[in-house]
Amino acid sequence: MDPHPPEPTAADAAQHQEAMGIALEQARRAEQHGDVPIGAAIFRQGELLAAAGNERELRKDPTAHAEVLAIRAAAAALGGWRLPGTTLYVTLEPCAMCAGAIVLARIPTVVFATTDPKAGAAGSVIDVLAEPALNHRPRLITGVRAAESADLLRDFFAVRRPNAS
């Protein structure tokens, strides 16, 4: 992984903003059925391959994270488990499970909105995505629509945990 990736162009930044918007839409849909509002979208060459929101509560499945669901759908769309040339957009820093799935799927670029200081596995708590012992390390872009994503999460938990500090 290049320690000094090239600076994004204005077109890249606009594309990241728009693509993260799709992930945010998925997060809002997840919230409508009682799941933590996290969304993911996978693109390849500007084409949306898959998008999903969290469905842990909906499916009663601890692995039904937005990233995992989107990776499964993108793999089905491409007809294989490797996802070359793709970019994963996700509204929250991936957890260890999702980071592991990203590595296994060989996703080259991950863009996430906001960090997860409690369970983030892309540098906040641990850094699965940069682990040198693993055979794949995606390029990371962070902070795209971070405030919007953080506000969505904060508002969700404020309603459910009003006495949390």
Side-chain angles (χ1 to χ4, degrees):
M1 186 159 96
D2 182 359
H4 304 289
E7 288 297 316
T9 65
D12 291 336
Q15 180 180 0
H16 294 326
Q17 294 285 323
E18 185 176 328
M20 189 62 76
I22 304 282
L24 282 159
E25 286 173 21
Q26 294 297 315
R28 289 184 188 97
R29 287 183 187 163
E31 183 177 28
Q32 290 173 357
H33 53 72
D35 272 286
V36 177
I38 300 169
I42 299 177
F43 286 79
R44 187 169 77 170
Q45 297 172 349
E47 177 188 350
L48 177 64
L49 294 176
N54 266 359
E55 293 187 2
R56 291 184 311 169
E57 299 297 334
L58 186 67
R59 295 180 186 223
K60 311 292 186 244
D61 177 355
T63 69
H65 289 205
E67 300 95 309
V68 170
L69 297 175
I71 288 169
R72 288 176 183 162
L78 293 177
W81 60 270
R82 291 178 188 92
L83 302 179
T86 60
T87 300
L88 167 68
Y89 293 85
V90 62
T91 59
L92 183 67
E93 179 181 1
C95 70
M97 176 185 69
C98 294
I102 290 163
V103 169
L104 293 172
R106 312 296 195 271
I107 295 173
T109 305
V110 175
V111 180
F112 70 82
T114 192
T115 59
D116 183 351
K118 293 183 179 182
S124 288
V125 176
I126 59 174
D127 200 348
V128 172
L129 297 182
E131 173 54 49
L134 299 176
N135 64 344
H136 176 72
R137 287 173 296 287
R139 175 178 170 230
L140 222 69
I141 300 168
T142 65
V144 175
R145 297 180 78 162
E148 190 175 349
S149 180
D151 288 347
L152 188 60
L153 288 161
R154 190 176 307 106
D155 293 347
F156 176 84
F157 286 113
V159 169
R160 282 152 186 82
R161 300 177 187 159
N163 297 325
S165 49

